[in-house]
């Protein structure tokens, strides 16, 4: 498979992985107060500000990732965000018995998504190394 075909697959993967975050971000944008309430329940400081920051991240990061700008950095940030979300919001080990199965699935789903983002970052790194491009160049997009 040639490089152009591989890059098209990379773009498709970035789009598919970003849909969840865009959907979630739009949902949060429609009701930031409920996001703040949930964050309060988990002990976050300044929950309304955090709600807006989380919403902005979930809307902006996937759009920029799809555009191909700073793919490695955004993939690592999204992977970390997804792991933190799993650990903080999907604690199946502490859930009521009726909720353990659902929380387990969401926890594992988040880990799988994080693994996908790590793979996107690895693929971008491999592309940059094989093309002789700088590994981290803040002024250039991947394309």
């Amino acid at each position: 498979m040639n490089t152009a075909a591989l890059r098209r697959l990379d773009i498709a993967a970035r789009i598919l992985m970003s849909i969840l975050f865009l959907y979630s971000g739009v949902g949060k944008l429609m009701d930031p107060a409920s996001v703040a309430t949930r964050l309060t329940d988990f002990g976050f400081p300044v929950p309304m500000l955090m709600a807006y920051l989380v919403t902005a991240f979930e809307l902006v990061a996937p759009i920029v990732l799809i555009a191909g700008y700073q793919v490695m950095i955004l993939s690592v940030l999204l992977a970390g965000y997804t792991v933190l979300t799993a650990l903080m919001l999907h604690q199946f080990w502490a859930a009521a018995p009726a909720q353990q199965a659902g929380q387990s699935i969401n926890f594992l789903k988040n880990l799988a998504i994080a693994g996908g983002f790590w793979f996107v970052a690895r693929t971008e790194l491999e592309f940059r190394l094989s093309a002789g491009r700088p590994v981290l160049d803040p002024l250039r997009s991947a394309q």
Side-chain angles (χ1 to χ4, degrees):
M1 194 172 284
N2 65 24
T3 302
L6 291 172
R7 296 310 282 169
R8 285 192 295 275
L9 287 173
D10 291 346
I11 292 167
R14 293 194 316 255
I15 291 169
L16 291 172
M17 293 183 67
S18 294
I19 290 171
L20 177 65
F21 291 88
L22 291 168
Y23 181 82
S24 179
V26 169
K28 286 175 175 64
L29 188 62
M30 297 298 121
D31 191 7
S34 70
V35 177
T37 299
R38 186 146 191 241
L39 292 172
T40 300
D41 294 344
F42 286 96
F44 280 86
V46 288
M48 199 62 182
L49 174 62
M50 291 298 292
Y52 285 120
L53 290 174
V54 165
T55 301
F57 181 74
E58 286 189 4
L59 291 172
V60 174
I63 291 169
V64 176
L65 182 70
I66 290 168
Y69 185 73
Q70 298 300 319
V71 171
M72 283 190 307
I73 292 170
L74 283 169
S75 294
V76 169
L77 287 174
L78 284 161
Y81 174 82
T82 306
V83 169
L84 286 174
T85 300
L87 291 170
M88 293 188 305
L89 304 180
H90 300 298
Q91 299 176 353
F92 64 90
W93 58 88
Q99 296 178 339
Q100 281 183 336
Q103 289 300 331
S104 295
I105 290 168
N106 282 317
F107 183 88
L108 294 171
K109 171 199 56 112
N110 279 26
L111 294 183
I113 292 167
F117 279 121
W118 279 111
F119 195 79
V120 169
R122 187 213 61 87
T123 303
E124 181 63 23
L125 176 61
E126 181 180 48
F127 170 74
R128 287 183 171 278
L129 291 172
S130 68
R133 290 186 174 181
V135 172
L136 292 176
D137 186 354
L139 302 177
R140 297 179 75 185
S141 65
Q143 299 182 13

